[in-house]
Amino acid sequence: MTHGENGSVASVRGKLITLEGIDGVGKSTLAAALHAEIARERPVELLREPGGVALSERIRDLVKDPELRCDPRAEALLYAAARAQLVDERLRPWLDAGTWVLLDRFVDSSLAYQGAGRGLGVEAIAELNDFATGSITPDLTLLLRLDPVTARARQDKRLVAPDRLEQEEHAFFATVAAAYDELAAADPRRFRVLDADDTPENVLMLARIALADLDSPRR
Ligand code: TMP
């Protein structure tokens, strides 16, 4: 809350911090650690995409199911539908109430995976997601960057079966990784690129440094 000149009380919008990167870069680990650190200082919520609310969690089950056929356009629409529900039910209300939100994937995932990876075009997917989100833009995006071969090797060490997206070939993830690099290069003010090959402790420290200037009134 802030107090205006006439004594009125206005709520300051919370900050939206998104985490992005190809599968296997350690996003979810960083998200949990970062959430615990920020929570010591202010109200903060952690969400993941697709998911976070009942409808979007059900869509998550659909898009991840290796047994289902899913046309690229259907896939893009499903991710956008899950996102629209999350924005309406949680994201916008929390940000409006001044809560910070840490989000494990957001629109950039669709731009990289569906726009570039599936070849639907980054512009078309951006338009679709503007509609889905009402044009919410993150205040900060942490891009965890790792060579796709190393990321795949990390995933192969896990004991869980790969989901529908994770079954894609190397070329798909190389395209997605290149698209992320282009998005980051095009918007250096919003993106901070972190080397995911570094130790988890260092990645967390660098993420904290990136977050430090979010409190600056100039942002
Ligand atoms: P994750 O929770 O393990 O990151 O799984 C989400 C999967 O969905 C991952 O393979 C990336 C993919 N995905 C997209 O293709 N487009 C999107 O918009 C989002 C949010 C995820």
Side-chain angles (χ1 to χ4, degrees), residues 23 27 60 64 79 83 105 109-110 113-114 165:
D23 296 74
K27 258 180 324 79
R60 179 184 181 87
K64 287 199 152 223
Y79 281 115
R83 184 164 296 136
R105 296 194 181 281
S109 282
S110 282
Y113 280 78
Q114 282 67 54
L165 269 288

Side-chain angles (χ1 to χ4, degrees), residues 23 27-28 48-50 60 63-64 75 79 83 104-107 109-111 113-114 158 163 165-166 173:
D23 296 74
K27 258 180 324 79
S28 306
R48 69 167 178 188
E49 275 217 74
R60 179 184 181 87
V63 284
K64 287 199 152 223
E75 184 180 279
Y79 281 115
R83 184 164 296 136
D104 186 343
R105 296 194 181 281
F106 193 48
V107 174
S109 282
S110 282
L111 301 181
Y113 280 78
Q114 282 67 54
R158 296 183 319 181
D163 64 36
L165 269 288
E166 288 166 352
F173 289 104

Side-chain angles (χ1 to χ4, degrees), residues 17 41-42 100 140 142 192 205-217 219:
I17 303 142
E41 293 160 12
R42 64 178 82 244
W100 283 32
L140 174 70
L142 301 173
R192 293 290 178 282
M205 184 190 70
L206 293 169
R208 295 279 294 157
I209 292 171
L211 253 84
D213 71 9
L214 274 179
D215 275 323
S216 155
R219 284 195 69 109

Side-chain angles (χ1 to χ4, degrees), residues 21 26 30 78 87 120 124 129 138 165 168 177 181:
L30 174 64
L78 284 169
V87 166
L120 294 175
N129 279 277
L165 269 288
E168 286 296 330
D181 287 347

